[in-house]
Amino acid sequence: MKLILLGAPGAGKGTQAELLAQRLNIPTISTGNILREAIKAGTEVGLKAKAYTDSGQLVPDEVIIGIVSERLAQDDCAGGFILDGVPRTIPQAEALEAAGIGLDWVVSIEIADEIIEQRMTGRRVCSSCGSSYHIQANPPKTQGVCDVCGGELVIRKDDAPETVKNRLEVYHSQTEPLKDFYEKLGNLVKVDGNQPIEACCEAILTAIGAHQ
Ligand code: ADP
Ligand code: ZN
């Protein structure tokens, strides 16, 4: 099962990717998490990426394409994978095609900007494994502590209200055109993102015919 999750920042891609990875037993490749780790570790890629992510801009296509092709070449991706947050632009989608990376489904998680702006103020992410929480919709068992790994939960720098507005603009201008791109290829499905987390997951599994 090769899957792409598309959607605005805050639509719930990371949340759904974690659930789907467990249900489908395939790894998630989150370029956002990979970049945040690289920034924290101060690697070459991280240094390049930091200025872009801090201001809500997209990291250049060639950096992303490099990260993804490297990750997809690892053994655990042989039986399928979930791409969370990539492709973000038409050139990235074309690069995946050119690399012969076939896809079964592209799931677009649909949600209004106003709801996203409300959601983002409550988002908390694990500083060590990248798991995503919400102080109301999806709180951790212990406040400030990751259920998965015990790491510290933090507010993402790019979740500041002004940066969220930028990111939504970038999404509409650069990423949303991917819906047409994949609709033409025939593997786009749309799911309502404005519903509880479990219900959204069920809707995705139904849309991709993966209900066991
Ligand atoms: P993305 O990866 O698309 O940027 P996240 O998965 O990080 O989005 O979700 C954004 C925020 O919204 C997080 O705080 C998450 O816990 C919360 N969230 C995700 N899905 C839902 C949902 N269905 N209902 C309410 N809040 C949600
Ligand atoms: Zn964690």
Side-chain angles (χ1 to χ4, degrees), residues 30-122:
S30 159
T31 45
N33 287 352
I34 292 172
L35 289 171
R36 281 185 288 278
E37 272 167 33
I39 290 170
K40 208 168 76 176
T43 66
E44 199 180 317
V45 165
L47 293 176
K48 260 191 231 164
K50 188 174 178 351
Y52 297 97
T53 59
D54 277 356
S55 62
Q57 296 307 303
L58 296 180
V59 172
D61 289 335
E62 59 275 14
V63 177
I64 298 294
I65 292 161
I67 291 175
V68 174
S69 1
E70 213 170 88
R71 182 64 188 85
L72 288 180
Q74 289 170 20
D75 291 347
D76 63 332
C77 294
F81 51 80
I82 301 166
L83 292 181
D84 163 16
V86 67
R88 278 280 223 293
T89 64
I90 300 271
Q92 289 177 17
E94 287 169 346
L96 291 180
E97 287 251 281
I101 295 162
L103 293 163
D104 297 308
W105 298 103
V106 178
V107 178
S108 170
I109 305 179
E110 311 259 314
I111 188 158
D113 288 3
E114 300 76 57
I115 297 169
I116 286 178
E117 288 176 35
Q118 294 162 16
R119 264 191 197 179
M120 297 302 247
T121 54

Side-chain angles (χ1 to χ4, degrees), residues 126 128-131 133 146 148-151:
C126 175
S128 81
C129 79
S131 294
Y133 299 86
C146 177
V148 179
C149 78

